[in-house]
């Protein structure tokens, strides 16, 4: 089978021919049909996380395909089922976080594409208990980005406790933000999209946003206050200076949730914490339960990531496009 290997950081991926993985009795062999290309993959390839990644590695953690071999002890997935694999490859399953279905907080989780072979490959094996079925209503190409980008924003909204009719502000309308608008809307929220590109208004409204604030033209805090203040702000940007002022736009009991790993700190006024009881939080990916919800919500509400497809052979071109910030939304590799 063909795999794209990151042999060492800061070098293009190399295509290699590997033996088909042998699966154990609790594992599943997935024929990868599509694999999303995530910003995290770029961090792996560019060596930003060199202390953590064991090179060589096969990246790819937005895997959508078909189960082609199922271990004898896996009874809930059958050959031919449409399945995928997310960032969390496996976890200890016994710590308190795992028992609560919050596997991203498990201190002993394995990561697809970092500590285990990922989906930049024609086939990958996965632990049966961590393989997730894909609802029939979703096509595999559009399902792939839901395994990281989708579950990331949905989990963040869930952890922020979004309730119907609350005002949810989504900052940034890119790969994460365009999904966050759709999920927040499906959760019954009123949604306000914030972008520094005034040209994104039409798209934001098409995705379900009730309001649009062009941050290049208007003061977002004033505009949020006019709407009564945001109950939740989900920020998907990587710039703390752009996030910082928004805290003022939170309503009392408002929650700011961060999903972009900006390097600069965000300052919070103790006065606001006390008098408005605001909460500043963040979230990364999601556990199996939230992933199932992410996929089912997409099927039920017609949530769809906007994708650009590259053939697997052009994985280096896809990564380069991402490096240059070219794709507006999500990239998906088409295998075979
Ligand atoms: Zn990712
Ligand atoms: Zn655990």
């Amino acid at each position: 089978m063909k795999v794209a290997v990151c042999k060492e950081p800061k070098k293009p991926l190399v295509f290699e021919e590997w033996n088909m993985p042998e699966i154990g009795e609790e594992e599943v062999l997935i024929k990868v049909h599509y694999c999303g290309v995530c910003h995290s993959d770029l961090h792996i390839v560019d060596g930003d996380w060199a202390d953590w990644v064991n090179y060589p590695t096969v990246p790819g953690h937005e895997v959508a395909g078909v189960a082609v071999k199922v271990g004898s002890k896996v009874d809930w997935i059958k050959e031919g089922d449409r399945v995928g694999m997310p960032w969390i490859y496996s976890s200890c399953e016994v710590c308190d976080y795992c028992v609560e279905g919050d596997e991203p907080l498990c201190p002993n989780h394995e990561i697809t594409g970092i500590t285990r072979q990922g989906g930049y490959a024609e086939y990958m094996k996965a632990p049966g208990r961590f393989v997730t079925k894909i609802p029939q209503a979703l096509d595999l190409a559009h399902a792939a980005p839901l395994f990281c980008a989708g579950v990331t924003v949905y989990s963040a909204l869930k952890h922020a406790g979004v309730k119907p009719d609350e005002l949810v502000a989504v900052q940034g309308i890119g790969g994460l933000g365009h999904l966050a608008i759709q999920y927040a809307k499906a959760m019954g929220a009123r949604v306000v999209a914030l972008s520094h590109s005034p040209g994104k208004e039409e798209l934001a409204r098409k995705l379900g946003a009730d309001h649009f604030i062009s941050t290049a033209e208007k003061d977002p805090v004033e505009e949020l206050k006019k709407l009564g203040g945001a109950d939740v702000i989900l920020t998907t940007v990587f710039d703390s200076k752009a996030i910082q002022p928004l805290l003022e736009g939170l309503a009392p009991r408002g929650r700011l949730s961060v999903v972009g790993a900006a390097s600069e700190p965000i300052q919070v006024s103790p006065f606001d914490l006390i008098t408005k009881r605001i909460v500043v939080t963040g979230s990364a990916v999601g556990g199996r339960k939230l992933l199932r919800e992410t996929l089912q919500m997409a099927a039920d509400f017609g949530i769809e990531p906007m994708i650009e497809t590259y053939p697997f052979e052009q994985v280096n071109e896809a990564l380069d496009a991402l490096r240059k910030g070219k794709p507006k939304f999500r990239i998906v590799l088409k295998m075979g």
Side-chain angles (χ1 to χ4, degrees), residues 15 309-318 332-336:
F15 285 102
T309 308
Y310 281 69
F312 181 33
E313 293 69 26
Q314 288 179 22
V315 60
N316 285 309
E317 286 83 347
V332 174
L333 299 175
K334 185 181 193 310
M335 305 296 163

Side-chain angles (χ1 to χ4, degrees), residues 165-213:
D165 208 39
E166 282 196 322
L167 184 70
V168 173
V170 176
Q171 184 183 33
I173 310 174
L176 293 169
H178 86 291
L179 285 167
I181 293 171
Q182 297 180 69
Y183 277 104
K185 198 65 201 165
M187 292 164 88
R190 290 172 291 125
V191 179
V192 49
L194 280 70
S195 172
H196 60 252
S197 318
K200 291 236 171 121
E201 173 160 8
E202 194 187 332
L203 171 69
R205 290 193 184 272
K206 217 169 82 186
L207 294 168
D210 303 281
H211 308 276
F212 179 82
I213 299 172

Side-chain angles (χ1 to χ4, degrees), residues 36-41 61-62 87 145 147-149 152 176 285 330:
V37 177
C38 179
H39 252 279
S40 304
D41 301 339
H61 56 270
E62 291 186 339
W87 177 261
F147 279 81
C148 179
T152 292
L176 293 169
V285 295
R330 303 297 293 187

Side-chain angles (χ1 to χ4, degrees), residues 5 9 12 17-18 31 99 104 120 135-136 142 150 162 185 198 208 220 274 285 293 296 325 328-329:
V5 193
E17 201 58 42
W18 283 13
K31 180 171 178 12
V99 169
Y120 288 9
Q136 282 303 327
H142 288 91
V162 171
K185 198 65 201 165
I274 296 165
V285 295
E293 289 179 25
Q296 197 55 50
K328 291 198 172 71
F329 303 100

